[in-house]
Amino acid sequence: MVTVAIVIFDEFTDIDFFLMRDILGRTKPDWEVKVLGTKEVHTSTLGMKVPTDGHVSAANDADVVLFTSGYKGVPMALEDKEFMSSFRLHPETQLIGSMCAGSFILSKLGLLKGQKITTHPDAKAALQAMGEDVQDKPLVVNGNVATAGGCLSAIYLIGWMAERLFDKSKRQEVLRQLIPAGQKEIYEELITSSIDSAYM
């Protein structure tokens, strides 16, 4: 059983977390999802309270680690010594991904050195100021590390994860229920091209 850790913190962006959690929750036999934080309950930007399944340090033993975002939450997380010092991630053996400003956390953890990455367009300038090479793409992949830019790019991030862990058919199965009626072919082409062109 594959273990997928979703890392949250106070003031996380609602859609970034809930969309990923919803997609992953539709396929229970293939992976176990753990929501991790530094507290028993974290509160989103819109006031939704989400209980955690364990401490963020458990991400070090997960097969997949996905970081949520938050224009308010990420700066606070970066200043949280308990949060930042808990990670001992292994990009050689783990799949690691971030949504939008979650890329700031990957950068601070030293996981993006010399790589092309992406983030939410509103956060691009600040990430470039940190010395990162930010691309205007919905998904950028370097080895086992992926960054996604824009809330709906969670579709591509989870799709990438499903393809890496299993295959393209598993990705199609996982994302099938999200596709608008009558647009299966349009979205299949969009998702396929976005994932295929993400590799740097």
Side-chain angles (χ1 to χ4, degrees):
M1 174 72 74
V2 173
T3 302
V4 180
I6 301 180
V7 177
I8 62 173
F9 33 79
D10 283 334
E11 296 283 358
F12 66 86
T13 299
D14 293 68
I15 190 171
D16 287 352
F17 168 73
F18 289 110
L19 183 53
M20 285 197 296
R21 184 67 186 90
D22 182 88
I23 297 171
L24 292 167
R26 294 168 184 257
T27 312
K28 295 180 180 179
D30 298 314
W31 47 62
E32 179 183 24
V33 181
K34 297 287 188 181
V35 179
L36 305 179
T38 56
K39 302 192 299 187
E40 292 185 357
V41 176
H42 282 291
T43 305
S44 75
T45 298
L46 297 182
M48 296 288 289
K49 296 187 181 301
V50 175
T52 58
D53 300 308
H55 191 266
V56 289
S57 57
N60 299 324
D61 298 317
D63 299 296
V64 182
V65 183
L66 303 173
F67 287 85
T68 51
S69 184
Y71 72 96
K72 293 181 179 179
V74 166
M76 291 191 295
L78 293 174
E79 295 299 321
D80 185 337
K81 293 182 179 179
E82 177 189 356
F83 180 85
M84 294 300 297
S85 66
S86 295
F87 296 105
R88 299 289 185 275
L89 302 180
H90 308 284
E92 302 83 8
T93 57
Q94 295 174 297
L95 295 183
I96 302 170
S98 66
M99 285 297 306
C100 297
S103 55
F104 284 83
I105 299 173
L106 298 191
S107 179
K108 284 291 188 180
L109 291 174
L111 297 170
L112 304 178
K113 296 296 184 183
Q115 300 179 358
K116 296 182 185 300
I117 64 172
T118 190
T119 190
H120 191 282
D122 291 349
K124 179 180 178 180
L127 202 55
Q128 286 177 318
M130 294 170 58
E132 300 293 359
D133 186 355
V134 186
Q135 306 293 301
D136 290 321
K137 301 182 69 172
L139 182 71
V140 173
V141 177
N142 291 275
N144 288 338
V145 179
T147 53
C151 299
L152 295 184
S153 64
I155 295 174
Y156 308 129
L157 182 61
I158 301 303
W160 164 77
M161 186 205 81
E163 285 195 13
R164 285 293 303 272
L165 291 175
F166 298 96
D167 52 29
K168 186 173 182 177
S169 63
K170 174 58 66 176
R171 184 264 293 166
Q172 291 171 328
E173 173 191 334
V174 169
L175 299 181
R176 180 184 62 82
Q177 295 182 14
L178 301 179
I179 306 303
Q183 295 188 335
K184 179 180 178 180
E185 292 76 14
I186 295 172
Y187 271 84
E188 176 59 27
E189 180 179 353
L190 182 60
I191 293 168
T192 297
S193 64
S194 296
I195 294 175
D196 290 347
S197 65
Y199 290 89
M200 297 286 105

